[in-house]
């Protein structure tokens, strides 16, 4: 086994109640993994402070001063969990990267299994929770609906996987080639491909502090997920336009029929014909514009067309 350098990346936003516990737990875990020869002694625990307003930063700074195993990246403002994790992965030099939430709700002891899978040849290892017993009712329902919807509109997601994952240096290099700004890592990572696997764990309760995600913030993440990965909402306008247009033809035929059989009052036929015809045309036109916007959206994201995993005899 190679003694590869591990970096555990922890995004933190107002985590003063829990951060000391996290520091102690991860320190112990690092010792265990180094003793077992899974990782090198130069491995790092990197906290990314995402603009905390409480004592989180003070606690991390003091820890870094006493122990060089710990490091800090302080962001100048609250940029959100996704950006904080990216800042960590793109600014720390390591062979293996593991991202985990500061509250250690995702059982950190599973990191050992993740690293083991990395040594078995995996470039990406997803942490997948077994059950959602510790989640609130709203979170459970919205999560199930979200996965179902994403699946329907063709976005590949790992079911019950959030932001607890291992990425090898190679996987992080590939991730850097995705230049989009509306980041939704759960959608991008499966696009990278490479050899991957899952480790399963029971999600624990938050030991202290409150969730940083309100229902509104959860919806905002879900909306980023949908709109960064799918042009389906735009396609829906085209489909609605086509349907309205077809219905308008039926309405026009009916109104002409009423006109010639003298069933309609004066003026009704012309009003209903123009109203239904132009409604159909307007929605259809919006849909066609949407189709072009969808193309621009895909071009602007400038995603890599492919990733080469291996070549042989290429000169
Ligand atoms: N977080 C962050 N920036 C934010 C919101 C959250 O860095 O704007 C971090 C937070 O400190 C934690 C992780 O993201 O480490 C997940 O947050 P939380 O545990 O509150 O989410 P939940 O478990 O409720 O989904
Ligand atoms: Mg949490």
């Amino acid at each position: 086994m190679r003694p590869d350098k591990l970096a555990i990346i922890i995004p933190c936003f107002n985590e003063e109640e829990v951060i000391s516990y996290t520091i102690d737990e991860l320190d112990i875990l690092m010792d265990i993994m180094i003793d077992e020869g899974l990782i090198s002694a130069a491995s790092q625990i990197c906290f990314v402070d995402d603009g905390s307003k409480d004592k989180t930063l003070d606690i991390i700074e003091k820890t870094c001063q006493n122990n060089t195993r710990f490091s800090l990246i302080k962001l100048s403002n609250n940029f959100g969990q996704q950006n904080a994790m990216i800042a960590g992965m793109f600014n720390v030099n390591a062979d293996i990267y593991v991202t985990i939430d500061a509250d250690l709700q995702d059982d950190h002891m599973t990191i050992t299994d993740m690293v083991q899978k990395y040594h078995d040849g995996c470039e990406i290892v997803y942490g997948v929770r077994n059950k959602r017993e510790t989640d609130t009712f709203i979170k459970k329902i919205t999560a199930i609906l979200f996965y179902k919807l994403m699946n329907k509109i063709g976005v590949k997601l790992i079911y019950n996987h959030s932001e607890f994952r291992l990425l090898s240096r190679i996987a992080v290099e590939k991730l850097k080639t995705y230049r989009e700004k509306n980041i939704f890592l759960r959608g991008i990572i499966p696009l990278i491909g490479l050899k991957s696997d899952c480790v399963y764990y029971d999600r624990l309760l938050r030991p202290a502090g409150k969730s940083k995600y309100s229902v509104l913030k959860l919806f905002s993440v879900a909306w980023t997920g949908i709109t960064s990965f799918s042009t389906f909402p735009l396609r829906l306008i085209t489909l609605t336009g086509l349907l309205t247009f077809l219905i308008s033809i039926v309405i026009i035929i009916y109104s002409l029929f009423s006109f010639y059989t003298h069933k309609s009052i004066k003026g009704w036929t012309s009003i209903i014909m123009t109203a239904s015809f132009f409604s159909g045309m307007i929605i259809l036109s919006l849909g066609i514009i949407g189709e072009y916007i969808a193309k621009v959206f895909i071009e602007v994201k400038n995603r890599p067309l492919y990733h080469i995993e291996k070549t042989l005899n290429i000169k």
Side-chain angles (χ1 to χ4, degrees):
M1 243 179 256
R2 292 164 290 150
D4 286 344
K5 184 178 165 188
L6 167 71
I8 303 182
I9 311 285
I10 309 117
C12 304
F13 178 56
N14 295 342
E15 298 285 9
E16 63 179 8
E17 291 104 331
V18 81
I19 200 77
S20 303
Y21 163 80
T22 308
I23 289 167
D24 294 344
E25 285 290 315
L26 291 181
D27 200 21
I28 295 169
L29 176 68
M30 275 283 187
D31 283 337
I32 295 174
M33 287 197 289
I34 293 168
D35 287 348
E36 286 178 1
L38 278 174
I39 53 171
S40 95
S43 296
Q44 283 275 306
I45 300 170
C46 176
F47 290 98
V48 183
D49 181 69
D50 187 22
S52 297
K53 298 266 181 293
D54 63 359
K55 297 205 182 70
T56 305
L57 187 65
D58 292 346
I59 302 171
I60 299 171
E61 274 177 348
K62 280 203 186 87
T63 310
C64 292
Q65 279 154 15
N66 295 331
N67 189 343
T68 51
R69 169 181 290 174
F70 291 92
S71 55
L72 163 74
I73 293 173
K74 179 193 179 305
L75 303 185
S76 59
N77 208 336
N78 178 234
F79 291 96
Q81 183 185 1
Q82 301 281 313
N83 295 322
M85 288 189 299
I86 296 221
M89 287 188 285
F90 289 4
N91 288 288
V92 174
N93 184 20
D95 304 300
I96 321 167
Y97 298 83
V98 170
T99 49
I100 188 166
D101 291 356
D103 52 18
L104 300 185
Q105 277 190 279
D106 308 297
D107 187 0
H108 58 288
M109 298 314 276
T110 334
I111 295 178
T112 318
D113 304 333
M114 287 180 159
V115 174
Q116 193 60 59
K117 290 212 185 270
Y118 163 81
H119 286 301
D120 294 343
C122 286
E123 305 285 349
I124 300 171
V125 186
Y126 300 100
V128 175
R129 62 183 86 166
N130 284 322
K131 294 173 237 141
R132 285 190 162 261
E133 273 169 6
T134 51
D135 276 2
T136 58
F137 178 72
I138 295 212
K139 227 172 178 178
K140 259 186 227 166
I141 290 288
T142 47
I144 291 170
L145 285 177
F146 178 63
Y147 282 112
K148 285 221 155 105
L149 178 68
M150 291 298 265
N151 200 16
K152 275 261 164 340
I153 61 178
V155 186
K156 265 208 294 177
L157 287 186
I158 309 287
Y159 191 65
N160 272 350
H161 159 70
S162 54
E163 305 299 347
F164 179 36
R165 72 177 77 82
L166 176 150
L167 294 182
S168 69
R169 183 198 288 272
I170 293 171
V172 170
E173 286 308 319
K174 307 268 185 227
L175 179 62
K176 284 181 187 166
T177 61
Y178 290 78
R179 305 199 175 277
E180 59 209 77
K181 304 290 173 229
N182 289 291
I183 296 290
F184 182 66
L185 285 171
R186 264 180 275 175
I188 293 178
I189 310 283
L191 293 181
I192 293 176
L194 299 173
K195 188 169 183 229
S196 60
D197 205 347
C198 299
V199 294
Y200 298 87
Y201 63 93
D202 289 330
R203 189 157 154 101
L204 313 165
L205 278 170
R206 205 178 224 280
K210 278 202 231 92
S211 170
K212 306 297 172 284
Y213 283 94
S214 59
V215 175
L216 207 70
K217 216 167 166 183
L218 273 178
F219 272 109
S220 146
V221 173
W223 187 242
T224 304
I226 294 165
T227 51
S228 296
F229 279 83
S230 175
T231 51
F232 184 73
L234 290 172
R235 175 70 34 97
L236 210 58
I237 303 176
T238 315
L239 294 176
T240 315
L242 265 177
L243 195 72
T244 319
F245 189 68
L246 290 177
I247 293 171
S248 83
I249 292 175
V250 176
I251 294 174
I252 289 169
I253 293 171
Y254 173 74
S255 59
L256 280 175
F257 173 77
S258 309
F259 178 76
Y260 284 114
T261 53
H262 304 288
K263 276 190 194 149
S264 57
I265 55 167
K266 224 176 165 198
W268 181 81
T269 309
S270 54
I271 288 175
I272 212 74
M273 273 173 65
T274 44
S276 59
F277 177 76
F278 285 110
S279 307
M281 284 301 285
I282 288 167
I283 303 180
L284 189 58
S285 311
L286 280 177
I288 293 169
I289 294 171
E291 293 290 324
Y292 281 91
I293 291 179
K295 296 277 179 297
V296 173
F297 163 83
I298 289 164
E299 293 294 330
V300 162
K301 271 193 298 183
N302 202 10
R303 280 188 183 164
L305 299 181
Y306 52 81
H307 295 297
I308 295 176
E309 188 169 349
K310 191 177 172 182
T311 57
L312 284 176
N313 293 346
I314 292 287
K315 296 211 173 88

